């Protein structure tokens, strides 16, 4: 399997309020097994989140050549947006947990990001974490505690930027003719599996890989493996 894949650099972006540490925990192992080098840039600060990441993909493409791009949740949106704009610089797409397509509207992930931004603005990062930890699995609470504190004062602006930024429209995805792996957790109401399947149906060469939030809690790489395996099948 590994020998069939030419030397490749993958750039994978985190979701809203998350960070590159989580990206590495999800994707490093599955990509390393294929001999694919992973670059996971840290989030740009505050309201520069989207534009900063798109500029970083431009920079890394200039430095490393055509990229396998991807992301988790909002990171999947941005990587797909960049790929649609730069098809000649993209060798494939790894989109884990896409949350919507086109304008965010009342997508659950957008609403959750807006509510989180309000909590942070009103209570500070630590206060927001305390208020949002009820009923949250321990692993997710720990991830948020680390990542939100790392975002610091720019967290609320970052969350609002992600909540309002459009994802690629399905019509745009139809023009992206590269192998695409779409990863979904079938028990995740914030990132509905129906969105992942709609992305895969729109993309010319895409497969869906399924996992669960329960599996993700026990093994971060479960989502990475599902997404990467879908990409391999799409090839």
């Amino acid at each position: 399997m590994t020998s069939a894949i030419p030397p490749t650099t993958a750039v994978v972006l985190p979701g809203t309020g998350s960070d590159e540490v989580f990206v590495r925990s999800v994707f490093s192992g599955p990509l390393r097994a294929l001999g694919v080098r992973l670059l996971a840039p840290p989030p740009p600060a505050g309201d520069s989140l989207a534009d900063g990441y798109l500029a970083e993909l431009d920079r890394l493409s200039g430095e490393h050549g055509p990229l396998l791009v991807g992301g988790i949740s909002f990171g999947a949106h941005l990587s797909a947006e960049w790929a649609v704009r730069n098809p000649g610089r993209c060798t494939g797409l790894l989109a884990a947990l896409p949350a919507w397509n086109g304008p965010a509207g009342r997508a659950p992930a957008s609403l959750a990001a807006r509510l989180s931004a309000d909590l942070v603005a009103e209570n500070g990062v630590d206060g927001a974490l305390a208020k949002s930890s009820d009923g949250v699995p321990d692993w997710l609470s720990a991830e948020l505690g680390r990542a939100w504190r790392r975002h610091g004062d720019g967290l609320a602006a970052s969350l609002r930027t992600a909540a309002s930024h459009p994802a690629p429209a399905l019509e745009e995805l139809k023009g992206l003719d590269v192998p695409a792996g779409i990863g979904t957790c079938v028990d995740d109401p914030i990132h509905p599996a129906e969105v992942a399947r709609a992305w895969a149906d729109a993309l010319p060469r895409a497969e869906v890989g399924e996992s669960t939030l329960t599996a993700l809690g026990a093994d971060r790489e479960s989502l990475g493996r599902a997404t990467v395996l879908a990409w391999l099948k799409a090839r």
Side-chain angles (χ1 to χ4, degrees):
M1 182 185 299
T2 305
S3 62
I5 297 175
T8 298
T9 297
V11 180
V12 183
L13 311 180
T16 309
S18 186
D19 63 6
E20 77 282 6
V21 177
F22 185 66
V23 166
R24 287 196 293 265
S25 72
V26 171
F27 279 101
S28 284
L31 290 174
R32 188 187 312 115
L34 300 175
V36 175
R37 178 189 182 195
L38 172 63
L39 300 178
D47 59 10
S48 64
L49 180 70
D51 291 342
Y53 260 142
L54 293 171
E56 181 68 357
L57 287 170
D58 283 339
R59 186 188 73 79
L60 290 171
S61 174
E63 182 176 330
H64 297 280
L67 300 171
L68 170 60
V69 297
I72 301 168
S73 188
F74 184 61
H77 297 186
L78 289 178
S79 62
E81 177 181 341
W82 183 85
V84 165
R85 294 180 186 176
N86 300 275
R89 294 196 278 171
C90 175
T91 63
L93 177 66
L94 300 170
L97 307 181
W100 63 81
N101 49 269
R106 297 188 61 79
S110 175
L111 294 177
R114 293 175 194 274
L115 288 172
S116 295
D118 290 343
L119 270 179
V120 171
E122 293 167 7
N123 302 279
V125 173
D126 287 331
L129 285 167
K131 287 178 176 291
S132 60
S133 61
D134 288 346
V136 174
D138 289 346
W139 72 268
L140 181 55
S141 179
E143 288 289 345
L144 292 176
R146 183 201 66 252
W148 280 22
R149 289 186 178 98
R150 290 188 68 207
H151 281 266
D153 293 341
L155 177 60
S158 174
L159 291 167
R160 289 197 173 102
T161 295
S164 62
H165 192 85
L170 296 180
E171 197 63 33
E172 293 177 297
L173 294 177
K174 289 179 181 179
L176 183 58
D177 190 13
V178 298
I182 314 298
T184 185
C185 290
V186 295
D187 56 350
D188 183 354
I190 300 297
H191 306 90
E194 291 80 5
V195 175
R197 296 187 186 109
W199 277 44
D201 287 343
L203 288 157
R205 300 164 59 193
E207 297 286 343
V208 174
E210 295 185 350
S211 187
T212 66
L213 290 177
T214 301
L216 183 60
D219 174 13
R220 306 293 179 270
E221 291 185 358
S222 60
L223 177 60
R225 286 192 299 271
T227 308
V228 171
L229 181 58
W231 172 68
L232 289 173
K233 289 179 178 178
R235 290 170 54 91

